[in-house]
Amino acid sequence: MKTTLDLTRVPDTPMALKPLAGLSMTALQAEMEALGVESGKTRMRARQLRRWLHHFGATDFAGMTDIGKELRARLAATYHLDRPDIAEHKVSVDGTQKWLIRFQPGVEGESVFIPAVSKTGALCVSSQVGCTLNCTFCHTGTQKLVRNLSAQEIVSQILIARDALGEWPSTTEDRGLSNIVFMGMGEPLYNLDNVAEAIDTLSDGEGISISRRRITVSTAGVAPKIPELGQRTGAMLAISLHAVHDDLRSEIVPINRKYDLQTLFEAIRAYPDLGNARRVTFEYVMLKGVNDSLAEARDLVRLLRGVPSKINLIPFNPWPGSPYECSDWDTIEAFADVLKRAGYASPIRTPRGRDIFAACGQLRSESIKTSAADRRRAAAVAG
Ligand code: SAH
């Protein structure tokens, strides 16, 4: 076969098209410049595209009636509006949905939509594929970091969920996808530039239009980045606390060896606009015999004194080979009672989508209610 290349010839196969949906305004404008749009018009074109892509959820250029035919053709020859491939999509009997998204071959991440009892619901998104943190109870912690997700890839998780829920345009009333939580795979504060750019796009009132107050970023405790997160994004803060003393926390959340509880809480207190209307969420995974004593519940209350906070007790979801068990239901309730008496309302998070293993980061879930029922059944058999 002849292998000489004719460099003057335009190739028959077009260059790979680039994805356009999910880009920030700045990135869209840069693309319009690169495409050769007149310099005075790049912003106007970016705004038009934002409206089609992020307000209407457009998946083709043909319907973009305020953009001339010639430019539409040029756009279609350079970009595509496809979402990343969906490797797997599961819907639970309780309405929870989970997607395994293939951002590129070998780079797969999860997002999970969790409908609330009312019309609202949260999408749990990933910020990295894999993780560097090695928290001992977390399944993602057993996987090496593959890479950071780009801002566009983070936003694409919301586009995919909106497509499935049929919630375009963005002004649709009673949107099911009302909140976003960065509690999927990865440590968002180790990918802060992309997370901040994604939050700009998600909260843009002319686009996807999810308010910053409905976007929560969860961190294992990258203390120096916490105030910066608030300044750059205006998002709500969640802290994966899981232990109230440094020795235990350093064991189960190893980043505590770098930023101990005192350093962490100084950073939390510096989070902008904290007050009763704007509280920090503390997540606390219930590990049997490890962190679930009543003394620890009381120390938790003491630790949070002076910080406007909410507490989420999370029943541990076992995964194959995990070194822990979930605390007994009675223990979780007793722990929660200490918190309730200190003024924290209903802090136990009910696992959802257990039939599709939908908790983020492959946290294969068993409902605490089921385990309580199982336990009662077991007790009945035994006794
Ligand atoms: N790195 C960030 C974002 C990941 S979300 C962070 O640590 O906050 C991580 C949350 O998932 C943790 O707060 C924890 O509550 C939850 N999680 C991880 N593994 C879990 C497991 N096996 N069972 C229950 N919750 C788990």
Side-chain angles (χ1 to χ4, degrees), residues 137-138 183-184 186-187 218-220 240 242 283 285 314 316-317 363:
F137 54 85
C138 178
M183 293 184 187
E187 171 48 51
S218 176
T219 178
S240 291
H242 308 316
E283 298 156 273
V285 64
I314 308 169
F316 170 65
N317 294 297
L363 314 175

Side-chain angles (χ1 to χ4, degrees), residues 15 32-33 130 149 165 261 268 295 299 383:
M15 300 250 297
M32 292 307 96
E33 265 163 42
L149 292 177
L165 295 166
L261 285 167
I268 294 168
D299 285 348

Side-chain angles (χ1 to χ4, degrees), residues 38-106:
E38 272 174 69
S39 61
K41 292 198 167 162
T42 53
R43 183 158 177 81
M44 185 261 288
R45 294 302 185 199
R47 292 171 72 104
Q48 288 174 317
L49 285 168
R50 166 179 62 182
R51 183 166 158 270
W52 290 115
L53 303 182
H54 297 162
H55 178 79
F56 288 113
T59 48
D60 63 55
F61 292 102
M64 300 186 178
T65 43
D66 54 359
I67 300 178
K69 251 192 172 161
E70 191 265 340
L71 180 55
R72 265 188 276 158
R74 222 171 345 138
L75 286 167
T78 314
Y79 305 103
H80 68 75
L81 300 180
D82 299 339
R83 316 306 190 207
D85 286 342
I86 299 169
E88 208 179 291
H89 178 207
K90 288 190 172 156
V91 183
S92 156
V93 287
D94 70 12
T96 302
Q97 303 195 35
K98 169 169 130 173
W99 295 265
L100 182 65
I101 301 171
R102 186 171 298 134
F103 296 103
Q104 72 183 68

Side-chain angles (χ1 to χ4, degrees), residues 315 317 350-352 354 365-374:
N317 294 297
T350 319
R352 306 291 302 274
R354 61 196 168 85
S365 168
E366 278 196 348
S367 153
I368 42 169
K369 289 199 175 126
T370 307
S371 17
D374 285 350

Side-chain angles (χ1 to χ4, degrees), residues 181-241:
V181 294
F182 283 80
M183 293 184 187
M185 297 171 88
E187 171 48 51
L189 298 198
Y190 280 158
N191 187 17
L192 184 53
D193 289 344
N194 292 340
V195 166
E197 188 178 334
I199 292 176
D200 286 344
T201 305
L202 296 171
S203 61
D204 184 342
E206 305 290 318
I208 294 168
S209 209
I210 295 180
S211 141
R212 293 174 188 272
R213 296 290 169 113
R214 290 178 175 270
I215 300 177
T216 300
V217 177
S218 176
T219 178
V222 186
K225 295 275 183 187
I226 287 175
E228 187 184 334
L229 170 75
Q231 280 137 21
R232 291 178 65 179
T233 69
M236 305 298 283
L237 175 66
I239 301 286
S240 291
L241 190 62

